[in-house]
Amino acid sequence: MLYVIRCIDKEDHLEVRMANRPTHVEYLKSFGERLFAAGPTLDDAGEMNGSVVILECEDKAGAEAFAANDPYAKAGLFSDVTISPWKKVLP
């Protein structure tokens, strides 16, 4: 099952995001073909302010473990994280 993991950064934490970005990207890459899509969300000025990850997991517990072990989460970057099952329909 695919899960959408939506993370919102704490305000004024861009420096935390940038300091942990290389480790976060390597973490994402370690999931290989299970990673359907990933990238930052942007504010109106084009600055990164969150993340969206779509990941194949056996169950929600697997998606929760992924989110908890993300280097960004471990660095305290996020103010909120939501995890939802997702079904790809198009294209």
Side-chain angles (χ1 to χ4, degrees), residues 8-80:
I8 299 172
D9 293 0
K10 293 176 182 172
E11 286 194 40
D12 301 318
H13 273 63
L14 184 58
E15 68 281 351
V16 174
R17 172 175 280 275
M18 298 313 293
N20 290 279
R21 193 161 199 261
T23 307
H24 164 76
V25 170
E26 288 305 312
Y27 179 70
L28 292 174
K29 288 179 180 179
S30 75
F31 286 85
E33 292 185 14
R34 291 179 48 204
L35 183 64
F36 185 80
T41 58
L42 307 174
D43 63 18
D44 292 338
E47 295 290 333
M48 293 181 279
N49 65 359
S51 299
V52 174
V53 176
I54 303 175
L55 183 70
E56 184 178 340
C57 298
E58 280 192 34
D59 52 27
K60 190 170 184 177
E64 290 168 343
F66 166 86
N69 288 301
D70 184 330
Y72 280 166
K74 289 183 173 186
L77 176 60
F78 302 131
S79 65
D80 189 48

